[in-house]
Amino acid sequence: MKAAVELVDQRVGETVEALRDRLAGIIGITPTDTGRYLDVDERRLRSAALTVLTLKLYCGLDDADALDAVVDGKDDYGVDAIVVSSVTGTRFKLTFIQSKLHDRLDGACNYEQGAVTEMISALETLLDPDAEFAGNSRLTRQVDHFRKLLREGRIPDVTVLMASNGRTWVDAVETRIKDAVRRKKLPSKWIHFGPTEMHRLWHPTEPVNDTIKLQGKYLEEEIGGHRVIIGKVAVQEIARLVKEYDIRLVGRNVRYFLGAEKDSVNSEIEKSLQTNDDCGNFYFYNNGLTITCDRVDYHQGAHESPILQADNIQIVNGGQTSLIIGRVLGDETPAPGACVLTRIYELPENKELVERITWATNNQNPVTLSDLRANDEVQILLEKSIEELGYRYRRKRLDRPIAPKEFTSLDVARSVYAVWRRKIIDVPNESALFREHYDNVFTGSLNGAQAILACLIRQQVERLYIKESFPERHTEDRLLRENKRRRDTFFKAAGMLLGKWVIDNVCSRDLSQLDHRKFLHAVDHLEKGAESFLLTEFSRLKDTYKDPEENPWRAFPNLVNEAQDTPEKRSDAREAGQAV
């Protein structure tokens, strides 16, 4: 147990060093003037790092997706991360994660009763689609996501994962959990994910000894005293191994598989395998597999397509690809001609090197679509235009916190999509924004003034939403007592309403007139009248449509008619209205 605790502590430290600035930005802490963090903030960073480790180990996420799932911070309801996955048919997977990092490294600390009680209370609120809650923006985004699925009638498979570097909870706490499950109809699957469980994933048992058939020519070299074989393997061969050995093949892979989410890379892998006309190009679409083994032999006279005999096979990178291949392929999905690049390293009795390879290959920063777009001419011109206004535009990822007057390309994409492109549905994820919607968001006419004003409008909307969700913060809870669904739907359109209001009053109803010359006037107009304008608009909606269940978009016909991103705009508008 003690060795496992020390290993967790080591991995937590490595995660903090690798992701320090991004973790700090998520949980809302800043370094002192000396560039160092206070001791209390360092502990918060380590706790957040344990959450990221848990997301990667148990849920199979990479760094980017793990960080996106973290909701830790002020007003987090005691929940540190939420993962919504495998949204298929009528069901989806929903995982709540809470992490507790103890200072003691002997593993003797039990999971805190107060933390469990806090999670029980959070689940009561968050899993009720009609219950009001006031969480931070990251928590709100995740909760809105799965509540939408609940309202659609989908059934969640909920797991409550309580991670720590100590022992599980005592019997009295277990009794309290069972009582809450019985009386309050809470999820029954509660798991303590501790050092022993983490250690098992890092150090799987029952080695896999089998053959691996290569396709065509291959290369063998000796590097650093170790044999390295590089070639291609048919996906059917990978599927055979997965179906025979399942998760034992990827026991060392820190991207432990949970499921393929819609619009994720995993879904793209499935799609390419299921398209016979394109699966022959699968080799070019995939980064390949990295396999370690204790020993590998084959007939030396085979110049092509040798059959390798390998002992203790472990897929240390590419585990998600392998498991998806195993799940998708079968008699009905033969994937003719599909192969995957495979690197096989013979590393007998060198567990330390295997661990380093596993860690290094799974912790390289993923290249996102926004990274690939960073050097587009429109991005470079937009950066210069924004700088002229006294703001900063981060079109490329940097390992430092976001400055007060700085916006990322993702911030701009989300804001422009919601404000100027007049969409009344939820803003898409990063992948969709920088793929399907990219040309519509980053048009040749988009300038710095329009981009930054859209970001400032979104900030105004978020501030008002938070303010109206906390009655203790002001004397008039003007929107709090209204029908929650109608209020929340209204706020989805608030950015469009504000944008139209500013342009009508500052730019004679012509967005193209908003440039550096009118930027300060537009910002001043926004700051002085945004809150009053939105509250007036909400009152107009309420007075016009007395029934809170009635479609509120009928109050804004111009906005609905002008939503023009996709041919499905009418169904999008109808869907948004039905969510009220």
Side-chain angles (χ1 to χ4, degrees):
M1 176 70 166
K2 190 172 185 297
V5 175
E6 291 176 355
L7 177 60
V8 172
D9 188 68
Q10 178 184 346
R11 294 292 170 84
V12 165
E14 291 171 348
T15 302
V16 169
E17 291 309 310
L19 305 173
R20 178 181 294 273
D21 290 340
R22 280 184 279 179
L23 286 173
I26 288 171
I27 63 178
I29 61 173
T30 56
T32 63
D33 293 339
T34 64
R36 299 176 63 86
Y37 291 91
L38 298 174
D39 289 344
V40 64
D41 289 337
E42 282 289 347
R43 286 194 290 272
R44 290 186 62 195
L45 282 172
R46 289 178 60 80
S47 180
L50 178 60
T51 301
V52 170
L53 271 181
T54 301
L55 287 161
K56 295 171 70 174
L57 264 177
Y58 189 89
C59 300
L61 306 184
D62 59 19
D63 282 345
D65 288 338
L67 290 169
D68 191 55
V70 174
V71 300
D72 187 12
K74 185 179 180 182
D75 301 322
D76 61 13
Y77 277 64
V79 179
D80 294 324
I82 297 176
V83 179
V84 181
S85 62
S86 299
V87 183
T88 56
T90 60
R91 307 189 72 88
F92 67 97
K93 290 184 178 180
L94 179 59
T95 306
F96 292 88
I97 295 175
Q98 183 187 86
S99 299
K100 295 299 176 185
L101 192 67
H102 306 291
D103 292 334
R104 292 174 56 176
L105 296 183
D106 57 3
C109 295
N110 290 106
Y111 209 94
E112 302 167 8
Q113 178 174 340
V116 174
T117 301
E118 191 175 24
M119 177 60 84
I120 290 173
S121 177
L123 294 173
E124 285 185 80
T125 300
L126 302 183
L127 288 173
D128 180 355
D130 298 318
E132 297 206 7
F133 83 102
N136 62 51
S137 60
R138 298 178 69 87
L139 176 63
T140 300
R141 174 170 57 86
Q142 295 283 38
V143 173
D144 285 348
H145 182 191
F146 72 71
R147 280 186 171 184
K148 182 175 183 290
L149 298 175
L150 293 174
R151 293 189 184 107
E152 292 173 353
R154 299 179 193 260
I155 302 171
D157 297 321
V158 183
T159 299
V160 184
L161 197 65
M162 313 291 274
S164 79
N165 61 340
R167 296 173 178 170
T168 187
W169 40 83
V170 297
D171 291 343
V173 177
E174 178 68 18
T175 300
R176 181 176 178 81
I177 292 174
K178 291 180 178 179
D179 182 61
V181 169
R182 185 183 71 258
R183 290 190 305 102
K184 302 176 181 179
K185 307 300 182 183
L186 293 183
S188 60
K189 189 177 180 182
W190 287 65
I191 297 174
H192 176 251
F193 191 58
T196 301
E197 290 75 22
M198 297 179 195
H199 190 270
R200 285 173 183 164
L201 290 179
W202 282 318
H203 300 86
T205 57
E206 299 182 46
V208 174
N209 303 326
D210 208 321
T211 60
I212 303 174
K213 183 178 180 180
L214 302 184
Q215 295 289 316
K217 297 184 182 297
Y218 63 97
L219 172 68
E220 178 178 346
E221 287 196 40
E222 183 175 302
I223 301 176
H226 304 289
R227 291 175 70 195
V228 175
I229 300 174
I230 301 175
K232 60 180 183 290
V233 177
V235 293
Q236 287 288 0
E237 179 75 349
I238 301 301
R240 177 187 69 81
L241 290 169
V242 170
K243 289 173 182 177
E244 177 73 22
Y245 302 105
D246 195 47
I247 209 70
R248 287 166 56 194
L249 274 173
V250 295
R252 283 198 182 99
N253 190 330
V254 297
R255 297 185 185 190
Y256 189 78
F257 186 76
L258 177 63
E261 295 188 53
K262 185 179 179 181
D263 295 329
S264 69
V265 173
N266 294 338
S267 295
E268 293 297 324
I269 293 173
E270 289 190 21
K271 183 179 178 181
S272 61
L273 288 172
Q274 292 168 339
T275 307
N276 286 343
D277 293 341
D278 195 43
C279 64
N281 294 319
F282 184 78
Y283 179 91
F284 303 106
Y285 301 153
N286 193 273
N287 291 330
L289 311 181
T290 300
I291 296 176
T292 64
C293 62
D294 290 345
R295 182 184 64 87
V296 59
D297 286 322
Y298 62 95
H299 178 48
Q300 296 295 324
H303 298 295
E304 290 190 13
S305 303
I307 297 177
L308 312 181
Q309 178 66 52
D311 294 342
N312 195 17
I313 299 170
Q314 278 288 296
I315 301 175
V316 297
N317 184 256
Q320 294 185 71
T321 299
S322 302
L323 292 171
I324 291 173
I325 289 173
R327 187 180 70 190
V328 172
L329 262 60
D331 294 337
E332 297 180 358
T333 311
C339 294
V340 61
L341 172 67
T342 304
R343 298 169 290 274
I344 301 172
Y345 304 151
E346 185 183 68
L347 304 169
E349 300 180 358
N350 199 332
K351 292 183 179 181
E352 182 180 353
L353 179 57
V354 171
E355 288 293 334
R356 289 204 301 269
I357 292 172
T358 304
W359 186 254
T361 56
N362 285 282
N363 278 277
Q364 297 167 358
N365 288 333
V367 179
T368 64
L369 285 174
S370 58
D371 293 327
L372 297 177
R373 300 286 194 176
N375 291 321
D376 287 0
E377 183 179 6
V378 65
Q379 296 293 329
I380 296 172
L381 293 175
L382 192 58
E383 180 182 37
K384 294 178 180 178
S385 177
I386 288 173
E387 288 178 350
E388 292 296 322
L389 299 173
Y391 291 79
R392 296 167 67 178
Y393 182 55
R394 187 177 294 195
R395 58 186 174 87
K396 295 182 178 180
R397 283 182 296 170
L398 299 173
D399 290 329
R400 60 171 174 76
I402 300 292
K405 296 182 71 174
E406 181 177 30
F407 297 96
T408 67
S409 59
L410 182 57
D411 292 331
V412 169
R414 286 172 171 163
S415 301
V416 170
Y417 183 92
V419 175
W420 304 134
R421 303 309 176 235
R422 303 277 177 88
K423 292 298 290 180
I424 60 176
I425 58 174
D426 293 334
V427 175
N429 59 24
E430 178 177 3
S431 176
L433 282 170
F434 284 86
R435 185 185 291 129
E436 298 98 296
H437 303 287
Y438 182 79
D439 291 336
N440 186 51
V441 171
F442 293 101
T443 61
S445 61
L446 181 68
N447 58 39
Q450 295 166 8
I452 296 302
L453 188 65
C455 292
L456 297 178
I457 285 173
R458 281 193 79 218
Q459 288 182 346
Q460 285 279 1
V461 172
E462 289 173 0
R463 278 196 290 266
L464 180 60
Y465 183 86
I466 292 173
K467 179 178 179 181
E468 293 297 336
S469 298
F470 289 87
E472 69 274 10
R473 296 186 183 179
H474 56 88
T475 56
E476 299 179 51
D477 50 341
R478 290 157 289 188
L479 299 185
L480 187 67
R481 294 196 181 109
E482 302 299 336
N483 176 272
K484 184 178 186 299
R485 291 185 181 179
R486 179 165 66 181
R487 184 191 71 206
D488 289 352
T489 307
F490 171 80
F491 270 101
K492 289 181 181 180
M496 290 184 293
L497 291 169
L498 270 182
K500 186 176 185 303
W501 174 68
V502 172
I503 296 304
D504 287 352
N505 286 276
V506 178
C507 302
S508 302
R509 301 185 177 183
D510 184 0
L511 177 61
S512 65
Q513 292 187 24
L514 179 59
D515 56 21
H516 62 284
R517 293 167 297 182
K518 294 189 176 181
F519 175 70
L520 291 179
H521 182 193
V523 172
D524 183 65
H525 191 74
L526 175 71
E527 292 178 346
K528 289 181 178 179
E531 180 172 339
S532 175
F533 168 77
L534 284 180
L535 292 172
T536 300
E537 285 296 291
F538 187 84
S539 297
R540 182 171 72 85
L541 179 151
K542 184 180 63 175
D543 292 341
T544 304
Y545 300 97
K546 305 294 185 181
D547 183 357
E549 300 302 323
E550 193 168 5
N551 188 341
W553 300 115
R554 292 174 55 194
F556 310 108
N558 292 336
L559 287 182
V560 176
N561 292 336
E562 293 174 14
Q564 54 186 344
D565 269 358
T566 68
E568 299 81 21
K569 62 183 181 181
R570 292 180 182 175
S571 62
D572 287 344
R574 185 165 55 252
E575 177 186 348
Q578 290 170 348
V580 178

